[in-house]
Each structure stands twice: as structure tokens, then as C-alpha cells.
Amino acid sequence: MQNNRVILPPKIIGIIGGGQLGRMMAIAAKYMGYQIIVLDPIPNCPTAQVADKQIIANYDDMNAIKQLTEVSDVITYEFENVDLEAATYIEQQGKLPQGSYALEITQNREKEKKLMEEVRLPIPRFSIVNSRVECEQAFEKITFPAVIKTCRGGYDGKGQQKLTSPEDRTQAIEFVEKHQHCIIEEWISFDKEISVIFTRTAAGAIEFFPIAENEHMDHILHKTMAPAKVTKEVKLKAIEAARVLADKMNIIGTFAIEMFVSGEDIYVNEMAPRPHNSGHYTIESCNISQFTQHIRAICGLPLIPVEVVTPAIMLNILGEDVEPTLHAMPKTPNGFVHFYGKDEVKAKRKMGHITFIGDTAEEQIRQFEEAKQ
């Protein structure tokens, strides 16, 4: 049961998950006049720092979920690994407009790929493997290079391994025996990776943000450039693929789909049923951010037509970048710096991001990098 009611300020929005995405959702909602309550096991997590109240509990604590549901007028989530029992309960109470189906699909790479296959979207050839025998059978159909991933969990390169040649079969078998439910995909030789981010209402209205182009370092998103440098044909194919999935899954709220571009062809890779790291540029680059549009959608408000105000380049700030970034901030006016309020600085941990805007964004980055020295 989905809630299509209009939720107006100062009603209460509950957020499951207290990381940076929840924080930016909360900031957008607070600007609009909503109250925020967050459920997260870590006291004073990034979202709690800007929320009105925090419920400190694990995500699968059903007593905490019931408490959150009782006090909230509408509930959303900032990551896809929400406990399905909890999501189903909230949905049955009419307070989870996004529903549990998108979570069920995006939590499981097998279900994700089979859905894409069902709606005839271009995807790499794949096999689902649960044992040594199934892994050996998969290699009779899939050519190298390939990649093996866990079907559940895994992010920023975790839970996956590239297989470059037949010599890596033993490595793949060991991976399967350790993780069991896995997927082996053919490796796509691509020119670039893009993100298609959109927001959709319960009535089916949809607004697309500019397609973004991504660069990764060590399997972690390093840089996003928007609008992406892609042809009109690629743009049309990407948006049409996203629209097919949005309608098939009855998406409500902001949603992200990563795709590979090879020549004039696209290959759909993975989905996220929430705002996405590669959409942070929208805060400064567009007339409305992915977060504000998400809040409007889950609260039953009409979407604002998206306009590009200026091109942008976003850089992630990892743990090792924090001190150099702080060193540079007093020395240059370039870049909009966002720190997420995480209490512990760790290497490779996303601590914040910087967005550079305008046609001179590359030059701004160069100046900022010089100031970091």
C-alpha cells in the first residue's frame, strides 16, 4: 500500500540511515520547513546533526521501526540495504511511498539483472553461480575478461573481483565458495561511465537531471562531470532505458542508474533507489537538487522542471584528502566544499565533496590543487 497523500510542512519525515545522503535529504527538507527524525545505530551520525530527533537503533530493530513509523508522517531511506521486513511493515502502514519492491530488486544483483533482461535492456552477458560446478559451467559461456560479484551487498568495489584470463578460474571458484550466491558478468570495454538520475512521482510524472559522466579511482567515484559529453543518440538511449525501468518498477522519488557507453551503444550496469553520489553536483549546478526533488516526490508535491544553471565538476573528498582540502580553503575562492560531519577520518572513506561550477571548472580545480600543496 503506497501513500499518495500530500505531506506539508511542518509534518515529520523519517529517514532510515544517517549517512551523508540522509544528511543532504534532511537539509533540503529543513529548508522547506519539515521536521526530521532519523533512525541510525550511531549517535550523532551525519544526519542526526541536522535532524530534530534521532532514534538510536539497528536498522532491523522492529521496535525502533514501529516507533519511527508511529511518529513520522512519511518515511524514506538513504541506502538500499534496508531490512525488507521493516520496509514492508512501513509500506503496509501507508508511510513508505517508495515501497519495498525497488529495495527488493536493487538489494539483489540477480533480481536486478533479470529484471533488466525481462524488459530487454542492453546488459552484459551474465551467469548466476552458487557453487564450484555452476562456476565451471558459467565459464563455458562467458569470455574473459569478466567480473565476479556477490549478489548481495558490496559497494565502492567491495564484494567483486576482476577475472582477466582463464588462469583466474581458480580465484573465481574460491570467491564463489566463500560468498556462494554470486554473479559472473562479461567485462564491457567502454569509453565512459554515465549516471542517469531522475525523480518520479506516484502519478508517473518524471524529471531527468543532466546525464553525468563519472571517473573512478580504486573503484571509488572520484570525479563527476555534468552535463556528460555524449552524443544525442546516446543521451536518448540512456533516458529511454531509465524511463522503461522507472515505469516497470513504479519508482517514486529520486533514482540513479549507472550505464556504460561504448561508441553509440549503452549497457545498463547497476541501480540505486535513492539520491546518488554522482548527483551531488545538482546542488549548485541545477535550479533544484536531487535531494529537494526527492523530498517533493515522497511528500506528494509536483516536481519542479529541471534546468541546468551551469556546468559542473564534482570531486569526492576521501579521508586522505581532508587535510589538504582544509589547507586550500583559505587560499582560494574556488569550489563549493561540503563536509559530511563524520567523526572519524579514514583513508578511502567519503568525508565530503567539492563542486566546481561554470565553464572554467577545470581551471578552478587546477588552482585548488595548487592551493592544496
Side-chain angles (χ1 to χ4, degrees), residues 142-157:
I142 289 180
T143 58
F144 290 92
V147 61
I148 186 167
K149 306 175 183 177
T150 55
C151 279
R152 293 184 65 88
Y155 63 95
D156 290 345

Side-chain angles (χ1 to χ4, degrees), residues 199-207 250-253 296-298 300-303:
T199 311
R200 186 177 182 273
T201 68
I206 190 167
E207 283 289 332
N250 193 26
I251 296 303
I252 296 174
R296 294 184 68 87
I298 65 168
L301 299 174
L303 303 180

Side-chain angles (χ1 to χ4, degrees), residues 26-34:
I27 290 170
K30 293 293 285 182
Y31 268 119
M32 296 172 70
Y34 291 99

Side-chain angles (χ1 to χ4, degrees), residues 292-359:
T292 303
Q293 199 82 296
H294 178 72
I295 297 299
R296 294 184 68 87
I298 65 168
C299 290
L301 299 174
L303 303 180
I304 293 177
V306 174
E307 297 176 9
V308 181
V309 176
T310 177
I313 299 175
M314 183 220 69
L315 301 178
N316 270 330
I317 301 173
L318 304 183
E320 57 269 35
D321 305 318
V322 170
E323 284 301 322
T325 298
L326 292 172
H327 182 78
M329 285 177 67
K331 299 181 179 182
T332 172
N334 295 325
F336 293 82
V337 179
H338 299 250
F339 278 111
Y340 301 149
K342 295 182 179 179
D343 59 353
E344 188 176 359
V345 178
K346 296 179 182 178
K348 306 303 177 188
R349 187 185 194 192
K350 293 174 183 173
M351 304 300 297
H353 71 268
I354 316 176
T355 303
F356 301 86
I357 62 172
D359 295 327

Side-chain angles (χ1 to χ4, degrees), residues 131-248:
S131 65
R132 169 189 288 267
V133 172
E134 290 179 352
C135 193
E136 291 171 343
Q137 290 171 344
F139 287 129
E140 294 176 7
K141 298 182 291 182
I142 289 180
T143 58
F144 290 92
V147 61
I148 186 167
K149 306 175 183 177
T150 55
C151 279
R152 293 184 65 88
Y155 63 95
D156 290 345
K158 299 177 177 67
Q160 62 178 274
Q161 225 165 40
K162 186 176 180 181
L163 309 170
T164 57
S165 69
E167 284 70 40
D168 291 330
R169 292 186 184 201
T170 301
Q171 186 178 319
I173 290 169
E174 290 173 353
F175 189 93
V176 171
E177 289 179 335
K178 178 181 178 181
H179 299 286
Q180 297 185 333
H181 190 198
C182 298
I183 182 171
I184 299 177
E185 300 176 16
E186 285 191 342
W187 187 269
I188 296 294
S189 296
F190 59 93
D191 302 319
K192 59 185 66 178
E193 181 196 275
I194 59 173
S195 293
V196 180
I197 299 174
F198 62 85
T199 311
R200 186 177 182 273
T201 68
I206 190 167
E207 283 289 332
F208 288 91
F209 291 96
I211 293 176
E213 182 176 334
N214 302 321
E215 291 182 9
H216 292 77
M217 290 179 62
D218 299 324
H219 302 289
I220 301 172
L221 181 64
H222 168 63
K223 177 192 292 186
T224 293
M225 296 156 284
K229 294 179 181 177
V230 294
T231 65
K232 183 178 180 181
E233 182 177 355
V234 165
K235 181 179 177 180
L236 290 173
K237 286 180 179 178
I239 289 176
E240 179 56 27
R243 195 183 297 275
V244 167
L245 285 168
D247 292 340
K248 175 69 176 178

